[in-house]
Amino acid sequence: MRKKKAVKKVIPYVILIVIAIAFLLPLLWLVFAAFNPQASQAFSIPKSISMENFRAILSESRNQRGFLNSLLISVSQTMIVLVCSLLAAYPLSRYELRMGQKITMGMLFLTSIPITAVMVPVYQLFIMMKLVDSLGGTIIFLSASSLPYGIWMMKNFLDGVSVDLEEAAWIDGASAVKSVIYVVLPLMLPGLFTVAMFTFVGSWGNFFVPLILLQSTDKIPASVNIYRFFGEHGAVIYGQLAAYSIIYMLPVFVLYFFSQNYMSRGFVMSGAAKG
């Protein structure tokens, strides 16, 4: 009996270890290949560490433009979604609208629609409006497609901020705008950074939309550029591809790091306000 119990306790750990190894091996290959100029498809530990792959990637002007375009698209989309979702979620959270519940459920439904299902009519619309190969038009479409989820998330966070705090600010003479800026927003830091994080990561990793709507080489973001980099070489240069992938992941890691920092501050402020 004791052996059976011991075996039952060990089996879950064995399964978890196998799953962890399955996830870690590709990441280890990525890191080792990035520092190995002679990297191949096979997993191997480099004999010496070299930065040649990173120098080759960062020195190419097309890659530089790709990263700048990705930053422009992702940062612009994140700012637009944050402002618009906050403005739209505030009345849904604070006022008893006749169609408020239906609007909220409608936005929740819109989040489930795959982006590929609407790309054909969107592309036709972009042709009619002469917005094909336009960074501005692409940013507007990506922002609009992210707004339903952003508004729905922002409303849930706004519901957690007590209306009594705003009413106290109004009694002290603050206007509605000032109460939102100085009372609601500090307590909304966790929500703001959560929406910003999801929006930025989704925009940064978006491949399909820029591939369809952008055509010029100087406007293509890094997400599409990595695909063309992979396909343009007869023999794939795995070391440079791995280095490109690591550089491509860095902004997401930085965003997660700072988001966790500010989100923890927001929770502390929220708890202090409630106390």
Side-chain angles (χ1 to χ4, degrees), residues 165-179 182:
L165 298 175
E166 289 184 80
E167 293 177 348
W170 297 339
I171 293 173
D172 291 337
S175 62
V177 176
K178 286 186 176 180
S179 66
Y182 295 107

Side-chain angles (χ1 to χ4, degrees), residues 32 36 42-48:
F32 290 152
N36 184 8
F43 180 85
S44 62
I45 300 175
K47 296 180 180 179
S48 60

Side-chain angles (χ1 to χ4, degrees), residues 1 7 13-14 18 33 43-44 58 68 70 87 93 104 108-109 113 146 155 165 185 191 202 205 250 256 266:
M1 291 296 292
V7 170
Y13 290 102
V14 173
V18 172
F43 180 85
S44 62
L58 294 176
L68 290 176
S70 289
L87 294 175
S93 174
T104 304
L108 185 61
F109 169 75
I113 299 177
S146 300
K155 179 187 178 299
L165 298 175
L185 288 183
L250 284 179
Y256 270 109

Side-chain angles (χ1 to χ4, degrees), residues 3-272:
K3 290 183 179 180
K4 289 183 178 180
K5 290 182 179 180
V7 170
K8 289 181 179 180
K9 290 182 178 179
V10 171
I11 289 177
Y13 290 102
V14 173
I15 295 174
L16 289 175
I17 291 172
V18 172
I19 295 174
I21 293 173
F23 277 95
L24 284 175
L25 281 178
L27 293 177
L28 288 176
W29 176 90
L30 189 69
V31 174
F32 290 152
F35 295 98
N36 184 8
Q38 287 80 36
S40 63
Q41 194 173 7
F43 180 85
S44 62
I45 300 175
K47 296 180 180 179
S48 60
I49 296 176
S50 173
M51 301 296 293
E52 184 60 33
N53 293 325
F54 291 95
R55 281 193 288 268
I57 292 299
L58 294 176
S59 62
E60 190 173 346
S61 59
R62 187 181 68 175
N63 295 331
Q64 296 171 2
R65 287 195 303 269
F67 287 118
L68 290 176
N69 290 335
S70 289
L71 283 175
L72 174 63
I73 293 172
S74 300
V75 173
S76 301
Q77 179 187 348
T78 301
M79 297 304 297
I80 293 173
V81 170
L82 277 178
V83 174
C84 294
S85 61
L86 180 62
L87 294 175
Y90 186 84
L92 290 173
S93 174
R94 289 296 187 258
Y95 303 115
E96 295 183 2
L97 302 177
R98 182 177 299 177
M99 302 288 291
Q101 185 68 22
K102 293 182 179 179
I103 293 174
T104 304
M105 297 305 296
M107 288 187 300
L108 185 61
F109 169 75
L110 290 174
T111 60
S112 63
I113 299 177
I115 198 70
T116 53
V118 298
M119 280 310 301
V120 172
V122 166
Y123 186 72
Q124 294 294 330
L125 180 64
F126 268 56
I127 292 176
M128 292 173 55
M129 301 181 67
K130 297 181 180 180
L131 289 176
V132 176
D133 200 28
S134 169
L135 283 173
T138 304
I139 291 171
I140 292 173
F141 172 69
L142 288 172
S143 302
S145 61
S146 300
L147 270 177
Y149 190 64
I151 295 172
W152 183 73
M153 288 183 65
M154 195 74 75
K155 179 187 178 299
N156 290 331
F157 281 104
L158 273 169
D159 290 341
V161 179
S162 177
V163 184
D164 297 337
L165 298 175
E166 289 184 80
E167 293 177 348
W170 297 339
I171 293 173
D172 291 337
S175 62
V177 176
K178 286 186 176 180
S179 66
V180 171
I181 295 175
Y182 295 107
V183 177
V184 177
L185 288 183
L187 300 176
M188 278 284 296
L189 281 179
L192 292 174
F193 277 92
T194 301
V195 175
M197 182 177 63
F198 275 97
T199 305
F200 184 90
V201 172
S203 177
W204 185 262
N206 197 308
F207 167 79
F208 187 67
V209 173
L211 178 68
I212 299 298
L213 299 181
L214 297 176
Q215 300 173 353
S216 301
T217 305
D218 58 341
K219 296 180 181 179
I220 290 175
S223 58
V224 179
N225 208 20
I226 191 173
Y227 163 75
R228 298 192 175 188
F229 173 84
F230 186 86
E232 286 179 358
H233 298 88
V236 178
I237 307 176
Y238 289 102
Q240 293 185 16
L241 185 62
Y244 190 102
S245 301
I246 290 178
I247 297 172
Y248 180 67
M249 291 189 296
L250 284 179
V252 177
F253 283 117
V254 172
L255 178 62
Y256 270 109
F257 175 78
F258 284 104
S259 294
Q260 288 179 354
N261 185 25
Y262 281 97
M263 284 173 68
S264 63
R265 292 183 187 179
F267 282 122
V268 170
M269 293 176 65
S270 177

